[in-house]
Amino acid sequence: MAPQELLTLAYSRPQAALSAARSFLGTVPEPYHASIAHQSVGIVLREFGDLRAAIKEIRCALRLARESGCPEREADVLATLGVALTALGDSAGGLAALDAAVGTGSGVTAARALYRRGYVLRVLGRHREALDDLSRSAVALEAAGDGLWTARALTARALIHLTLGATGRADADLLTADALFAATGQELEAAFGVHNRGLVAFRAGDLPSALDHLDAAGRRYQALGAPMPDLDIDRCAVLLAAGLAREAAESTAGAVHRLDQEKGQATKRAELRLAAGRATLAAGDPATALQLTVTACRQFTRQQRDWWSLHACLLAHQARFALAGAGRGVTARMVRETAALGERLAEAGSPEGVQAYLLAGRMALTLGRADEADRYLATAARRKGSGPPLARAGGWLAEALRADSRGTTRRTLAACRRGLDLLDAHRLTFGSAELRAGATAHGTELAAMALRAAARSGRPRGLLSWSERWRATALTTPAARPPDDPGLRADLAAFREVACLVDAAKAGGAPTAVLERDRRRLQENIRARLLRLRGDGHGGPHRFDPGALLQALGPGRLVELTEIDGVLHVLVCGGGRVRHSVAGGLADAVQELRFARLGLTRLAYDRSPRTLAHEMRLLDGAAGRLQTLLLGDAVRHLGDGPVVLVPPSRLDGVPWPMLPALRDRVVSVAPSALSWMRARETPPPANRDVVLVRGPGLTTGGAEVDRIAQAYGHATVLGDGKATSSLVLRAIEGTWLTHIAAHGDFRADSPLFSSLRLDDGPLIAHDLERLVQAPYRLVLPCCDSARMAHAGADELLGLTAALLPLGTAGIISPVTPVNDAATVPLMIALHQALHQGHPMPEALHRARHQTTDTPPSQATPWSFTPLASR
């Protein structure tokens, strides 16, 4: 290999370049060629993050270049040294070396040095100077026929265009650069190209494509053994845009720790801390966010990176405002400093200037300085007409805040509606139910402001419409059906197999660490594949009609609970009108709900006669207190017919039949009034197929299954080794009724991996999403088989949530652990009523009153509530 080829190899296959260069140096080459080898080693070490060792090699290369008497060689090494010194945090030394390189070299060498100075100026946030250097470099390099370095210059210029919001210019530069890289065989820089395509997709608002490209780039970096902190930074931004703040915070915290341990590039350590601060603030931890951001700001200042310092200062102001309780402790000086920061960011060409003006407006509002706030918010609101959906929605938020501060309800609601419509467009680009749910978090403030304005208006129907506007939106449209991907099928099968091995190892007392690691890896693979699914953009918000709801209810009542500033507002719909009242605090209700659920659980497992009566008395007391907090005086308007409860997602799992006012009523639950109406209108299948599934390890052995099968006569029964995922999924497709008696495993950390335990392992929510037509009715009698988790603004994720958009009109399942023996007669009575033609809520009501009066038998039916209406 010619020595000159080592420099090319350093960017293509760095590990091979390192080995080849060190072998070559063992031959004691002349100074010129030895300089090339040491420079190549320095480049590889720099990219791998070992900056001090890299600089030592590059300085050696510089000494040898000077010994060789070749100015072009010296200029090239000086440019490499400048990049390395900047990465170490010595910005002044780095720029001095780069200036010397540009002055020393000529022709192609000078153009290459110019590119590297432009690259460093971009890192320092001096974008206008960087654009000038990179444009001059690209022209000179193209004229010289140097395709590889032309591609590098265009790529760096594209990244500046992206930062400044010029997505079209960035895309054009990257397209040209990609074609040039493809002709050179540069593997590492080809990975950069894939990475950069992800950034373009992100800036254009196409998050599934962004995740796809970033994941592909990550695999390439890993194969090349090249650490890439930029990937962690960029993936954090995409996850935040997708509403996955907790995951972004955990990921960046790990990346910061790794880079600190490795003593990686100082510039990237500062940028990673800034990204981690953003993620941590979005995840609701402003104290940690402020700590990270202040450290990053100090690092940026030492590195003379003013552009980055401005962004760190903005995040610090946002964290302090959040710590101050969104108002307490705000001073006039803070307002002035934040507004001045917005002006400086705008002058620097940063889109984040809008966020600074928005924050200054919020601060001014808390101080009662309405005119000053209006000026700042008006500046931020200019963004509402351009840019990606999230940025435009931020502009409408500023407009809504302006209107709200003036007390103009109509304008406030109009601005909130426009902002939420934009966020709907953003949400529907996702094919994944998880991303759709998470993305609604961006609309939390708009929805809350609209609810406050609607409540002030004194129009209960208007408040009901706004309560519905941003509730359970992810359940209005099915998630994109996963493609028939062999890799996905293989991962799902392996996930089930490993889960079975874990259970077997635990039962035998064997170690499970390796198996658990494999299970986590497979789960991450499955989730990554599904997060990359694109939505088709269809299924936008269905306009809710209160009049149609009242007509559909007939003699019944629908009670919708909505939370406004921590207080539960109750809307009782029925009898031709909507009544509005105020109940208790949400936090108090959540606390009392925990106590009530604990009491039901104790009754399910306590076998002591002496304590059962005492537990029942405690439970009755908790039920009364819970009813007061949840419904308040609204119980006077419940009428005599069936009652549908529509709680906010944070109150999922309320044992509604336990409440005194509901014990003798036909009760059902729905995620939203709209979902109840849609379930009610869902036609039953033409067939009357019944499928009964008996999973392994049940304490009762699924005793009710055979009795239920006899009642229906024509039922398909799967069990005793035949209850496998593939057979169950095939059997339940489009059935009239499915009953699955199987242990449930609820995953609060990852609800779509909640599962039912079948003979070949867990059946997860992602499996159910592959159904074309879900069962019309579903009964899940076992513990944890249908729990759901709060996500996004007011969304639910879990096994049953995956089925509702696919045509399931009614689900019966327990919301707390239940007594297995007491469940068997309840299920037999339930199916008798279903077989007689009663809807699910009424069938459960009838079954509930056929149980015995022992405390476990009395309490067990309280844990079961029908979800939806059929």
Side-chain angles (χ1 to χ4, degrees):
M1 177 185 295
Q4 196 67 37
E5 294 177 16
L6 290 172
L7 291 172
T8 303
L9 193 62
Y11 291 101
S12 175
R13 289 183 290 125
Q15 295 284 11
L18 192 63
S19 176
R22 284 175 170 163
S23 296
F24 179 71
L25 286 169
T27 66
V28 193
E30 60 172 319
Y32 182 93
H33 291 143
S35 171
I36 293 173
H38 280 289
Q39 183 184 6
S40 301
V41 172
I43 289 170
V44 173
L45 293 176
R46 182 192 69 199
E47 294 302 312
F48 283 12
D50 192 352
L51 287 166
R52 297 195 182 280
I55 289 171
K56 183 178 179 181
E57 292 284 347
I58 297 167
R59 289 194 186 281
C60 182
L62 181 61
R63 176 179 55 79
L64 291 165
R66 286 169 176 161
E67 283 183 23
S68 72
C70 177
E72 302 300 310
R73 175 96 287 275
E74 180 181 347
D76 195 61
V77 178
L78 277 169
T80 300
L81 179 63
V83 175
L85 288 171
T86 305
L88 188 64
D90 182 4
S91 303
L95 284 174
L98 285 159
D99 289 343
V102 172
T104 302
S106 61
V108 169
T109 303
R112 291 178 177 181
L114 202 59
Y115 148 70
R116 283 177 278 194
R117 189 172 70 182
Y119 170 87
V120 162
L121 288 168
R122 179 185 75 83
V123 170
L124 297 177
R126 294 162 61 173
H127 294 124
R128 291 185 176 87
E129 297 169 74
L131 281 174
D132 181 57
D133 273 2
L134 292 168
S135 296
R136 288 166 54 203
S137 172
V139 169
L141 290 165
E142 184 180 14
D146 191 340
L148 174 59
W149 285 81
T150 302
R152 290 170 178 166
L154 291 173
T155 298
R157 190 171 72 177
L159 294 177
I160 298 175
H161 287 319
L162 278 179
T163 301
L164 300 179
T167 307
R169 292 180 181 178
D171 200 31
D173 276 352
L174 287 174
L175 281 172
T176 304
D178 284 352
L180 292 170
F181 279 135
T184 64
Q186 291 290 94
E187 295 180 34
L188 182 57
E189 286 174 300
F192 292 162
V194 176
H195 185 156
N196 292 331
R197 304 303 302 171
L199 293 181
V200 171
F202 169 52
R203 298 293 183 186
D206 184 356
L207 269 62
S209 291
L211 286 169
D212 194 11
H213 283 102
L214 293 180
D215 286 348
R219 290 191 293 272
R220 293 193 182 200
Y221 293 144
Q222 188 174 18
L224 292 168
M228 196 54 58
D230 279 331
L231 186 66
D232 295 301
I233 295 167
D234 296 332
R235 201 165 193 280
C236 172
V238 176
L239 291 173
L240 287 178
L244 301 178
R246 183 171 61 97
E247 182 175 342
E250 291 173 356
S251 175
T252 49
V256 166
H257 178 72
R258 286 194 305 273
L259 205 60
D260 282 346
Q261 293 292 106
E262 296 166 0
K263 304 296 184 185
Q265 297 183 17
T267 51
K268 296 306 172 188
R269 286 158 69 186
E271 291 172 35
L272 257 177
R273 273 189 168 76
L274 181 60
R278 286 197 181 103
T280 306
L281 180 60
D285 185 359
T288 303
L290 183 61
Q291 182 181 9
L292 285 162
T293 306
V294 168
T295 303
C297 195
R298 285 199 298 265
Q299 291 173 329
F300 289 135
T301 301
R302 284 199 301 268
Q303 296 163 12
Q304 300 178 4
R305 302 171 71 187
D306 293 341
W307 190 88
W308 290 93
S309 294
L310 290 175
H311 288 78
C313 285
L314 171 59
L315 185 59
H317 281 297
Q318 291 169 327
R320 289 190 182 101
F321 185 63
L323 275 172
R328 294 186 297 275
V330 172
T331 64
R333 178 180 177 181
M334 288 174 65
V335 178
R336 290 194 301 272
E337 288 177 350
T338 305
L341 189 59
E343 185 175 352
R344 292 179 65 191
L345 283 163
E347 289 174 355
S350 170
E352 291 296 302
V354 172
Q355 295 301 318
Y357 283 116
L358 180 60
L359 180 60
R362 290 180 195 275
M363 289 178 169
L365 284 176
T366 64
L367 295 177
R369 306 170 77 159
D371 291 340
E372 186 179 0
D374 191 72
R375 288 199 308 275
Y376 299 142
L377 293 172
T379 302
R382 293 172 191 160
R383 189 68 186 272
K384 66 182 185 290
S386 62
L390 287 182
R392 292 162 62 197
W396 283 110
L397 173 59
E399 188 66 31
L401 285 167
R402 291 181 71 199
D404 192 57
S405 69
R406 296 173 178 176
T408 53
T409 300
R410 181 173 295 181
R411 283 186 57 196
T412 301
L413 294 177
C416 291
R417 184 176 294 109
R418 293 290 297 274
L420 291 175
D421 285 348
L422 282 167
L423 292 172
D424 265 316
H426 171 68
R427 174 178 63 84
L428 292 171
T429 62
F430 303 131
S432 158
E434 182 181 359
L435 287 186
R436 286 186 177 183
T440 63
H442 295 295
T444 300
E445 188 171 2
L446 282 166
M449 195 184 313
L451 284 171
R452 282 195 296 271
R456 287 197 306 267
S457 73
R459 296 175 57 249
R461 289 197 184 197
L463 179 57
L464 175 63
S465 295
W466 275 105
S467 176
E468 283 288 301
R469 178 63 183 86
W470 208 237
R471 179 191 293 263
T473 62
L475 300 183
T476 60
T477 311
R481 192 164 183 264
D484 189 19
D485 178 355
L488 177 60
R489 288 202 312 271
D491 282 345
L492 285 168
F495 179 78
R496 272 188 277 278
E497 182 179 355
V498 170
C500 287
L501 292 173
V502 169
D503 290 341
K506 287 180 177 178
T512 61
V514 174
L515 290 170
E516 290 285 9
R517 185 183 62 208
D518 287 343
R519 179 157 63 175
R520 286 193 298 271
R521 175 182 57 80
L522 288 164
Q523 177 176 317
E524 289 168 3
N525 288 350
I526 293 166
R527 183 167 178 266
R529 289 178 187 276
L530 295 169
L531 290 183
R532 296 195 293 264
L533 291 177
R534 289 185 53 79
D536 58 11
H538 298 150
H542 298 272
R543 297 305 176 191
F544 172 71
D545 181 358
L549 171 66
L550 292 172
Q551 186 175 0
L553 282 168
R557 296 288 186 269
L558 183 142
V559 181
E560 181 149 329
L561 279 67
T562 191
E563 179 253 330
I564 303 176
D565 296 330
V567 176
L568 290 170
H569 291 242
V570 187
L571 296 162
V572 181
C573 311
R577 60 182 296 190
V578 179
R579 296 177 174 86
H580 174 209
S581 61
V582 178
L586 177 62
D588 292 335
V590 169
Q591 183 63 31
E592 196 63 55
L593 173 59
R594 291 195 188 103
F595 185 80
R597 289 171 58 88
L598 181 61
L600 277 175
T601 301
R602 284 198 299 263
L603 279 176
Y605 295 106
D606 197 331
R607 299 293 185 268
S608 169
R610 289 185 301 174
T611 60
L612 285 175
H614 176 65
E615 294 288 354
M616 282 296 293
R617 286 194 298 272
L618 291 176
L619 197 56
D620 276 334
R625 292 191 298 273
L626 190 57
Q627 176 174 293
T628 300
L629 289 167
L630 294 177
L631 301 177
D633 293 338
V635 294
R636 297 185 292 111
H637 305 299
L638 294 182
D640 299 322
V643 176
V644 181
L645 286 309
V646 181
S649 61
R650 284 187 61 191
L651 289 173
D652 176 60
V654 173
W656 293 102
M658 184 183 79
L659 304 190
L662 301 176
R663 288 184 187 177
D664 294 323
R665 297 177 184 271
V666 175
V667 176
S668 61
V669 178
S672 67
L674 184 60
S675 68
W676 177 82
M677 293 174 70
R678 291 181 64 188
R680 187 175 176 275
E681 295 164 1
T682 301
N687 68 70
R688 298 282 288 187
D689 293 344
V690 175
V691 174
L692 308 173
V693 178
R694 180 168 46 222
L698 298 171
T699 56
T700 64
E704 78 272 20
V705 169
D706 291 335
R707 293 276 302 276
I708 295 169
Q710 291 172 7
Y712 286 108
H714 61 282
T716 298
V717 179
L718 296 174
D720 303 321
K722 294 181 180 179
T724 63
S725 300
S726 59
L727 290 177
V728 168
L729 287 171
R730 192 178 309 133
I732 69 175
E733 179 88 46
T735 55
W736 177 74
L737 174 65
T738 292
H739 176 109
I740 303 179
H743 285 300
D745 179 20
F746 174 65
R747 290 282 304 276
D749 62 323
S750 191
L752 291 175
F753 281 88
S754 297
S755 61
L756 297 172
R757 192 184 309 168
L758 299 182
D759 287 328
D760 64 337
L763 178 80
I764 62 175
H766 292 307
D767 289 308
L768 297 176
E769 288 176 343
R770 298 163 65 197
L771 293 170
V772 175
Q773 183 69 34
Y776 180 66
R777 288 173 168 172
L778 178 66
V779 179
L780 298 169
C782 296
C783 304
D784 280 344
S785 54
R787 284 182 62 189
M788 292 186 282
H790 165 77
D794 197 3
E795 303 293 321
L796 290 165
L797 289 175
L799 274 168
T800 50
L803 292 169
L804 292 176
L806 295 174
T808 296
I811 300 171
I812 288 180
S813 60
V815 297
T816 67
V818 290
N819 183 290
D820 291 343
T823 299
V824 171
L826 178 69
M827 290 296 101
I828 292 171
L830 168 70
H831 281 278
Q832 286 174 346
L834 289 173
H835 190 45
Q836 292 166 5
H838 297 289
M840 287 188 114
E842 185 178 338
L844 183 60
H845 176 71
R846 287 171 174 266
R848 197 161 59 229
H849 287 81
Q850 294 180 28
T851 57
T852 63
D853 290 334
T854 64
S857 296
Q858 185 178 350
T860 296
W862 290 349
S863 294
F864 283 85
T865 305
L867 182 65
S869 65
R870 306 298 283 185

